[in-house]
Structures are given as structure tokens and as C-alpha cells.
Amino acid sequence: MKKIEILAICTHEGILQTINRLINNNELWNSTGAIDMQSATELLVNKDFDLILIGSGLAVADEYKLETVLAAHKNIPVVKHYGGGSGLLFGEIYQALTGK
């Protein structure tokens, strides 16, 4: 079975590592992390993702730029997760993937 590919973007390295670890604990998901807009954009060009997760630290202008890039290239759900624990993280991902 193909894993759900998730791009997690967060400028705080420790938080990004935690997000990636939590997501990768689900055997059906694979998380790739990006620490800034440049690396996120490069990853989006070179790899297909099923979901984008925006974590803390990304500037509002960069969030807008990311949404513009996504709108031009793909129809990928975007989840904005700024904390609240792993239960909330998983719930936000499931909701975005199922469209509910």
C-alpha cells in the first residue's frame, strides 16, 4: 500500500523533528520536513505530496506564497498546525485527508 506523503514545514527545528516523528509513527504516513520556504518549494517541485502541514514560525507572507505555489501546481490539502498535542495533529491530518 502506498504511504500518504506529507510535507511538514516548520521553522523551529526541534518542533519539526517532533512533528516528523509523530507522523512517521503511523505506518500509513511518511513525513518529509522543510525548515524554510526555499526547501519547501524545492521539495514540492521534486516530489509529489498528498498533504502539506504548516507548523509554527512560517511568516504570513511565506504562508501566502506557499498557498499560491500550491494553487498553481496542485490541489493539495493544507493543514495549519500550531500546537495542541499529537491527538489534535492526527485529527487535523485525518480531517484534511478525508475532506470532512
Side-chain angles (χ1 to χ4, degrees):
M1 178 186 292
K2 179 187 174 293
K3 287 189 173 194
I4 301 292
E5 294 293 333
I6 299 172
L7 174 60
I9 307 164
C10 178
T11 62
H12 299 285
E13 190 171 337
I15 295 172
L16 180 59
Q17 289 174 357
T18 299
I19 290 170
N20 283 335
R21 179 180 46 79
L22 290 169
I23 291 172
N24 288 332
N25 280 338
N26 184 319
E27 63 185 27
L28 300 177
W29 297 346
N30 182 58
S31 181
T32 302
I35 197 81
D36 57 29
M37 268 303 296
Q38 180 178 347
S39 57
T41 302
E42 289 172 8
L43 285 164
L44 283 167
V45 168
N46 295 310
K47 185 174 180 178
D48 290 327
F49 291 96
D50 301 299
L51 184 131
I52 307 298
L53 186 133
I54 298 174
S56 61
L58 202 60
V60 173
D62 284 339
E63 285 187 30
Y64 177 75
K65 191 183 306 181
L66 177 63
E67 290 174 4
T68 301
V69 168
L70 290 173
H73 295 284
K74 304 168 187 176
N75 186 19
I76 303 172
V78 176
V79 172
K80 296 179 181 181
H81 177 78
Y82 303 116
S86 60
L88 178 60
L89 173 66
F90 298 147
E92 291 169 336
I93 292 172
Y94 281 120
Q95 183 177 16
L97 291 173
T98 61
K100 295 178 183 176

